[in-house]
Amino acid sequence: DYNGFLERMQERGLFVINYKEVDSSEAKTIKKFKTAELAFACRQLSAMMSAGLSLVKALDIVYHEQEKADAKQVWLEVYEEVQKGQSFSDALRMQRGSFPSFLISMVSAGESSGSLDTVMQRMSDHYAKENKLNNKIKGAMIYPIVLLVLCIGVVIGLFTFIMPMFRDMFADPSQIPALTQAMFSISDFLKARWYVLIGIVAIAIFG
């Protein structure tokens, strides 16, 4: 409640002028950077610091060059924290979930050794290779997925359009073998629910 909130703030030595309650749906969405974005940002920072620019100035440039609003906001907050005196690694760590732990650890090591520009170049190479590998894996998965979809489509087509033609071959339905009757039942089900099956398969493959 309001009184409890004020008490907690006073315990921390803070004075509340104004506050606003928000739903959890309005909470800040975490921007998780992709490997390609990390590779590009690390390369930019490394190049600028190697050219003699300060970290604060380099972060300011990276922030202004962001095209996406969520990425721009994250880099702005990193820039502001570093400008206030926080270390670069701590500023990255404050953006919970946006930057991988490995990058934060390497930045911290670079700060300790005084070779942050070199570390950022290595991180750029690392994430560039990781992004290339991810793209290769995605490319390799396309053929099996297409093949699987085609196979499922052929099976659905056989049971939906071909199997019903064989039903007329049996004059007496009671003489139909059990296995054949089961296949006819599957065919009847697919004829009535084929779109449901396609939807389930699509969700399973593409998420």
Side-chain angles (χ1 to χ4, degrees):
D1 59 353
Y2 177 68
N3 292 330
F5 171 72
L6 288 180
E7 290 177 0
R8 289 194 296 273
M9 292 300 100
Q10 290 174 356
E11 289 174 358
R12 298 182 183 182
L14 301 175
F15 180 74
V16 179
I17 299 176
N18 190 16
Y19 84 106
K20 176 185 176 183
E21 295 185 11
V22 296
D23 296 331
S24 58
S25 59
E26 297 180 28
K28 177 182 176 182
T29 302
I30 295 177
K31 161 64 178 177
K32 187 174 179 62
F33 287 96
K34 298 178 181 179
T35 51
E37 294 174 312
L38 292 171
F40 182 67
C42 290
R43 184 166 63 252
Q44 280 185 305
L45 290 171
S46 174
M48 287 185 286
M49 286 188 290
S50 297
L53 271 67
S54 67
L55 176 60
V56 173
K57 181 59 177 177
L59 288 172
D60 183 40
I61 294 173
V62 170
Y63 148 65
H64 280 100
E65 290 186 351
Q66 299 301 312
E67 296 180 356
K68 298 179 180 178
D70 51 357
K72 198 178 188 72
Q73 180 62 33
V74 170
W75 281 112
L76 172 61
E77 293 176 9
V78 172
Y79 162 72
E80 290 177 341
E81 291 300 327
V82 173
Q83 194 176 38
K84 292 176 184 177
Q86 291 285 354
S87 67
F88 186 25
S89 56
D90 286 340
L92 295 178
R93 193 175 290 110
M94 290 178 182
Q95 303 302 315
R96 299 181 181 276
S98 293
F99 300 96
S101 299
F102 178 61
L103 174 61
I104 297 173
S105 299
M106 292 301 295
V107 168
S108 179
E111 289 173 326
S112 300
S113 62
S115 56
L116 185 57
D117 56 339
T118 303
V119 168
M120 297 310 293
Q121 181 58 52
R122 291 175 180 172
M123 288 294 93
S124 174
D125 295 339
H126 168 76
Y127 287 115
K129 290 178 182 177
E130 186 175 323
N131 182 62
K132 187 176 181 180
L133 178 61
N134 290 340
N135 289 337
K136 284 184 178 180
I137 293 173
K138 290 178 182 178
M141 288 297 295
I142 291 176
Y143 176 73
I145 290 175
V146 171
L147 187 61
L148 176 61
V149 171
L150 288 176
C151 290
I152 293 175
V154 170
V155 171
I156 293 176
L158 286 174
F159 276 94
T160 304
F161 301 106
I162 306 301
M163 279 297 299
M165 298 179 182
F166 292 94
R167 194 189 298 270
D168 297 335
M169 297 175 59
F170 296 91
D172 186 359
S174 62
Q175 295 180 351
I176 300 177
L179 179 59
T180 305
Q181 184 61 54
M183 295 180 70
F184 283 145
S185 298
I186 294 174
S187 175
D188 293 338
F189 173 80
L190 290 179
K191 284 172 64 178
R193 297 287 187 272
W194 62 269
Y195 52 90
V196 175
L197 180 61
I198 291 177
I200 294 174
V201 172
I203 293 172
I205 293 176
F206 303 106

